[in-house]
Amino acid sequence: ASEGEAEVVVPDGLKVGDVFILELNGQEVEVEVPEGCGPGSVLSVPVPQQRQFSPSPRGGTSEGEAEVAVPDGLKVGDVFIAEVNGQEVELEVPEGAGPGSVLSVPIPRQKDVDLTIPDGCQPGDVITVEINGRDVDVTIPDGCMPGMTITIDVPAASDEKEMAEAKKKAEEERLAKEAAEA
């Protein structure tokens, strides 16, 4: 086998046209038994590139990752648009990648999410909803009733962390003030 190829042996019991799956470079590869080959035949199979690319989308906060395949006809340095989490993300084909290479890309967070107010809720109520795999507390705004749809801005993980730290600090200060007054 030449560089970038591996020699594989056709398993027993297979005939021309049968497909078998093997793992090369940590990825599953489907191989069809070609004309003139059978059990015990040695085939040269292209080895897929390892999934080690992690380009960042240009702008936007991200959390988690998604896999995006490089489209046919592209080469290193080409820029393409992929849809990730319902948003268009601009990606550049990294060094060593090409058509069919799988890129791990950060998932951009959704900035605005529509939420239908559930039955039994009224203005001022706080409900917890799961967005992008995280629990987010939402306060029902004044004038909103069950069945109405509101648009909420989803905080980035860093914003959420800062808010949690600020709440914790405020709670510590309140407790210290109560202790001093007692």
Side-chain angles (χ1 to χ4, degrees), residues 6-28:
E7 289 186 345
V8 297
V9 177
V10 176
D12 289 339
L14 297 183
K15 61 187 181 322
V16 172
D18 286 347
V19 174
F20 62 100
I21 297 174
L22 53 100
E23 189 174 307
L24 291 174
N25 223 4
Q27 298 179 56
E28 284 188 357

Side-chain angles (χ1 to χ4, degrees), residues 33-87:
V33 179
E35 202 63 48
C37 295
S41 296
V42 178
L43 308 175
S44 288
V45 179
V47 176
Q49 295 177 347
Q50 283 187 309
R51 297 178 181 183
Q52 58 190 6
F53 312 108
S54 55
S56 297
R58 298 196 172 127
T61 306
S62 59
E63 184 168 332
E65 289 192 340
E67 291 185 336
V68 176
V70 175
D72 288 340
L74 297 182
K75 62 187 182 320
V76 172
D78 286 348
V79 174
F80 67 100
I81 304 290
E83 188 171 311
V84 180
N85 198 29
Q87 297 181 51

Side-chain angles (χ1 to χ4, degrees), residues 29 39 43 48 67 114 117 130 150 166:
V29 177
L43 308 175
E67 291 185 336
D114 288 335
I117 299 172
E130 186 178 315
I150 59 173

Side-chain angles (χ1 to χ4, degrees), residues 139-157:
T139 303
I140 306 300
D142 288 336
C144 293
M145 307 303 291
M148 292 177 75
T149 299
I150 59 173
T151 300
I152 57 173
D153 182 48
V154 181

